Amino acid sequence: RAPPSSPPPADLELKQWYQRRVRGTYLLMLWFLLIMFLIWFLRAPLRLHENLDQLGFFMNSLTPKFYVALTGTSSVISGIILIFEWWYFHKHGNSLIEQLALTYVAPFIGGIDLPEKPVQSECKVWRNPMNLIRGCEYFKFLQATGNSPLTHYDMNLTSQDQQMFFCPDVSGAGDKADELMNEAWKTVDTEKRMSLSLQAINANSNCASAYIMLAEECAASIPEADKYFRQALKIADNNIRKFVSIPTSHDSKANSLHRRDINICVYARRRVAMCLRKMGKLKECIKITRELIKEFPLMSVLHIHENLIEALLAQKAYNEVQQLLTRYDDLTLPKSAVICYSAALLKIRPVSEKFFADVTAKKGLTALQFTAVEALQRAVEFNPHVPQYLLEEKPIILPPEHLLKRGDSEAIAYSFYHAAHWKEVPGSIKFLKCFWKETFKLIPFPLEKGKLFHPYTSGTEETDRELLPAFHDVSVYPKKELPFFLVFTAGLCLFTLSLALLTHFYPIFMGELARIALEYFATPFAMIAEHLQALLPQQIWNLSSGINAEYGGKTDHSTTRTPLEARRLRSYRLFLLPRCTLEGSSRFHKISQVFLEGNIQADSFPPGEGKALPSLHQWY
């Protein structure tokens, strides 16, 4: 198999992008010039001057009611487009107009790379290393409030994990008690689980998985759960010793039971350490957790080190926490909120006690404060949901049994245990409140980009809603930014609606304003046309002027005029046309004929119409 090709260097990519951009710009300019040349060359067959004159007469004859109807219709149409764009954006996450433009218009222009549509991949859900005990914690909350803290999706994932951990992976391995427990792990009903586990203990008093089930589901207090876990640990240790003491080779069923006993041993010891932590026995908890990490280093996927970090923070052993972070905060290992926010807390601790926002605003950040802000920025980018729980801006609920990294479920699981550790550090909450919003603004937009970590996974919000209970308001940060065309459509709708209202209430003022705007808009184009005609040779004008006779069938008066006369007539129409009406068209043609002959005298015009023309004649 050939090795994968290396990606092109950044300079080459930039050069290719620049070439595509320049090529697309040249093609667009060439297309624009070609269209303008065709319009100029066919101006006589198309009778552009006569059509413009008729258009001017038509526009001057319109009443304000027409403009009210026009702007009102435009506002209604833009409002409908705005509603449709908003619906499409909420359903698909992008703008329909922008998507159509990138798909069908961009290939003709060139130089625009179409963005790839993100694949809706399923988010990976992790087992919560600090999950509570169902019987004495989750079920007590259910009895007290009537709201279930666990969702069916979360409990189903726990059932699958328990089947993988505590059921033999070879069919037929084990006795009747193991068969009963296999059936118990597959069900989600609590009463049925308890009944099957009691039957398994009656069938075999040394069934370790049955005692784990009783500790998780039946124990009414932490000490009672600790008792069941220790019983399961004792049975699993005895089974492991028996397996190791036999030097002969074992069959597949015996190996399957041995792997199950190891899983039970690791799970039970970890649960015993968590029970000791909740009973306030921190030294024993830390000792058991350290031994567990040392004996089973390959079990790092279970994130046992996060239990140790939490216990050391509760003991205020910050130096030992720093040693653990040095070991596990590595680029090759998966990150978590515990790793990132614990590192930020240790950076904040030396500067938080003497931190004052007003003094920092005047003097600026010191080197240690800048390092703490960088660590906080890293943590906020990894999971931006955590600060709201640490600052008690959102209520903390019981953590789920599974979590989604960088999601709201992980933020709840972290804050449930570590909020107390932040409060133990003087000034850390104040430091977090002062800087977290500023670092939150540095999170890349859109979500497909990333700065210090990989891009956010699509579908994070949907997965969190399945993991967290219905009574919890799921945090959906960072929010998606609105596309350009959605904002443009909203602005267009408001603008046209404002024009409609102003034209309805102030028709004369708006009509005069529209006339002035059209005059200023048409003046630069007329001047450009005048200069182009003056620069081009006379033969080209004679050639293009004769086209009208071939296509139109009769000779236009413009074919017998000199270029100076044509320029005079066009300029006169430009400045005088907005002041003319249909009733005064005869006077307009009379004044035009006098203007062409060059007899610019005040007595050549009707009263009041020749006073403004000498200044125009002087301009020529």
Side-chain angles (χ1 to χ4, degrees):
R1 181 179 178 181
S5 59
S6 59
D11 296 340
L12 181 59
E13 291 183 356
L14 182 61
K15 184 178 180 180
Q16 294 176 355
W17 174 85
Y18 179 76
Q19 291 176 353
R20 291 194 302 268
R21 181 71 65 180
V22 171
R23 183 170 61 252
T25 305
Y26 285 162
L27 290 176
L28 184 61
M29 293 176 60
L30 181 62
W31 174 82
F32 179 76
L33 293 176
L34 180 61
I35 295 298
M36 296 300 295
F37 177 77
L38 288 178
I39 293 176
W40 169 81
F41 190 77
L42 300 177
R43 69 188 188 283
L46 297 176
R47 298 183 179 181
L48 294 181
H49 294 295
E50 290 79 0
N51 293 333
L52 289 176
D53 294 342
Q54 295 178 4
L55 179 62
F57 292 142
F58 175 75
M59 295 297 293
N60 288 323
S61 64
L62 294 176
T63 61
K65 293 183 179 180
F66 170 78
Y67 295 102
V68 174
L70 178 63
T71 53
T73 306
S74 302
S75 62
V76 171
I77 295 175
S78 58
I80 294 174
I81 297 175
L82 172 63
I83 295 174
F84 180 76
E85 275 284 299
W86 185 264
W87 168 81
Y88 191 87
F89 173 72
H90 275 273
K91 185 175 181 180
H92 301 282
N94 52 6
S95 171
L96 176 62
I97 300 177
E98 185 177 356
Q99 185 177 0
L100 293 177
L102 291 174
T103 305
Y104 298 104
V105 180
F108 294 98
I109 300 177
I112 300 178
D113 297 327
L114 297 179
E116 298 181 359
K117 187 176 180 180
V119 181
Q120 292 289 340
S121 59
E122 184 180 359
C123 300
K124 184 177 181 180
V125 179
W126 299 76
R127 178 81 176 178
N128 184 6
M130 303 290 293
N131 65 311
L132 306 179
I133 301 174
R134 285 191 186 180
C136 57
E137 292 178 310
Y138 286 121
F139 290 163
K140 279 188 177 181
F141 179 84
L142 176 61
Q143 295 173 0
T145 62
N147 296 323
S148 177
L150 299 176
T151 61
H152 181 76
Y153 176 71
D154 192 12
M155 297 175 68
N156 188 29
L157 291 177
T158 303
S159 178
Q160 295 177 11
D161 294 339
Q162 291 171 344
Q163 293 177 44
M164 181 182 64
F165 262 78
F166 307 129
C167 295
D169 49 3
V170 176
S171 60
D175 50 8
K176 183 180 179 180
D178 293 327
E179 295 178 359
L180 291 172
M181 288 309 301
N182 291 345
E183 184 180 354
W185 294 121
K186 293 178 182 180
T187 184
V188 186
D189 187 10
T190 303
E191 295 183 356
K192 188 175 181 180
R193 280 187 159 201
M194 294 169 59
S195 176
L196 291 173
S197 60
L198 292 175
Q199 294 178 21
I201 291 177
N202 293 331
N204 183 6
S205 59
N206 291 327
C207 183
S209 57
Y211 286 102
I212 290 180
M213 176 71 75
L214 292 177
E216 293 285 352
E217 306 283 345
C218 303
S221 62
I222 298 297
E224 185 179 356
D226 179 64
K227 177 183 177 181
Y228 285 125
F229 283 127
R230 289 182 182 274
Q231 185 67 24
L233 178 60
K234 181 180 178 181
I235 296 173
D237 287 337
N238 293 333
N239 292 335
I240 293 174
R241 292 192 193 97
K242 291 180 182 178
F243 181 86
V244 175
S245 61
I246 302 175
T248 58
S249 60
H250 305 279
D251 55 0
S252 59
K253 293 183 179 180
N255 292 327
S256 175
L257 293 175
H258 178 65
R259 286 192 295 269
R260 183 203 61 181
D261 292 332
I262 292 177
N263 293 336
I264 291 176
C265 178
V266 174
Y267 185 88
R269 292 176 68 179
R270 182 180 191 175
R271 278 304 206 182
V272 168
M274 294 178 65
C275 291
L276 293 172
R277 164 69 181 89
K278 294 173 183 178
M279 290 187 292
K281 303 178 181 180
L282 292 176
K283 292 184 179 180
E284 298 180 20
C285 169
I286 294 172
K287 180 182 177 181
I288 293 176
T289 310
R290 287 186 184 276
E291 293 176 353
L292 189 60
I293 295 175
K294 184 177 180 180
E295 293 181 15
F296 301 96
L298 298 179
M299 291 292 183
S300 59
V301 69
L302 299 177
H303 296 88
I304 304 176
H305 59 276
E306 295 187 7
N307 298 82
L308 182 58
I309 291 175
E310 195 278 329
L312 291 173
L313 287 174
Q315 201 180 29
K316 297 184 180 180
Y318 299 113
N319 293 332
E320 298 182 15
V321 174
Q322 184 62 53
Q323 294 177 3
L324 276 176
L325 292 176
T326 305
R327 176 181 176 185
Y328 289 100
D329 193 3
D330 188 77
L331 295 176
T332 59
L333 298 178
K335 299 294 182 294
S336 65
V338 175
I339 295 293
C340 296
Y341 278 91
S342 298
L345 178 60
L346 294 183
K347 298 291 185 181
I348 294 173
R349 192 177 70 91
V351 299
S352 60
E353 187 173 0
K354 298 181 181 180
F355 171 75
F356 298 98
D358 52 351
V359 176
T360 305
K362 295 179 181 179
K363 297 183 178 181
L365 296 174
T366 63
L368 292 177
Q369 290 176 347
F370 186 77
T371 305
V373 171
E374 284 186 338
L376 182 61
Q377 175 189 347
R378 175 174 177 265
V380 171
E381 182 179 347
F382 182 83
N383 195 321
H385 314 275
V386 174
Q388 288 186 319
Y389 294 104
L390 296 179
L391 297 174
E392 298 181 353
E393 296 179 0
K394 293 192 67 176
I396 301 177
I397 63 174
L398 295 183
E401 294 182 338
H402 289 79
L403 54 85
L404 180 65
K405 288 191 175 183
R406 308 182 72 178
D408 192 26
S409 53
E410 185 190 29
I412 294 173
Y414 172 80
S415 304
F416 186 82
Y417 285 98
H418 290 261
H421 306 326
W422 279 77
K423 294 179 181 179
E424 289 293 330
V425 178
S428 60
I429 297 296
K430 182 174 63 176
F431 190 92
L432 176 66
K433 186 176 182 180
C434 183
F435 287 104
W436 89 270
K437 289 185 179 180
E438 298 299 327
T439 56
F440 178 75
K441 295 178 182 179
L442 300 176
I443 295 178
F445 288 96
L447 302 182
E448 291 77 13
K449 297 180 180 179
K451 186 177 181 181
L452 299 176
F453 297 98
H454 292 290
Y456 282 86
T457 309
S458 57
T460 303
E461 179 183 351
E462 290 75 10
T463 306
D464 274 332
R465 292 189 184 279
E466 293 181 351
L467 289 173
L468 298 173
F471 61 84
H472 174 68
D473 186 14
V474 178
S475 177
V476 293
Y477 289 104
K479 294 181 179 179
K480 300 176 182 177
E481 60 179 359
L482 295 178
F484 166 76
F485 284 100
L486 187 60
V487 180
F488 174 77
T489 309
L492 181 63
C493 177
L494 295 177
F495 178 71
T496 53
L497 183 60
S498 303
L499 286 181
L501 294 176
L502 291 174
T503 309
H504 176 71
F505 290 105
Y506 308 100
I508 300 177
F509 173 75
M510 293 301 294
E512 186 68 17
L513 184 63
R515 183 188 64 79
I516 295 174
L518 289 176
E519 284 186 7
Y520 280 101
F521 180 75
T523 301
F525 294 98
M527 294 181 64
I528 292 174
E530 296 285 344
H531 288 290
L532 287 178
Q533 292 178 4
L535 293 175
L536 292 176
Q538 185 65 30
Q539 293 80 3
I540 298 179
W541 288 111
N542 296 334
L543 179 63
S544 61
S545 300
I547 300 177
N548 184 47
E550 300 178 5
Y551 287 91
K554 54 183 179 179
T555 305
D556 189 14
H557 292 287
S558 63
T559 58
T560 60
R561 297 179 186 136
T562 63
L564 179 60
E565 293 177 347
R567 289 171 55 192
R568 287 178 176 177
L569 181 59
R570 279 189 295 273
S571 301
Y572 176 73
R573 287 175 176 175
L574 175 64
F575 287 94
L576 191 61
L577 185 58
R579 301 176 176 84
C580 297
T581 58
L582 290 175
E583 291 80 2
S585 59
S586 60
R587 290 186 299 168
F588 169 75
H589 290 292
K590 180 180 178 180
I591 296 172
S592 302
Q593 186 65 29
V594 176
F595 185 76
L596 289 174
E597 294 175 357
N599 300 325
I600 313 299
Q601 301 295 334
D603 55 356
S604 303
F605 304 99
E609 294 183 354
K611 297 179 179 180
L613 293 180
S615 61
L616 183 65
H617 178 63
Q618 294 173 2
W619 180 73
Y620 281 100

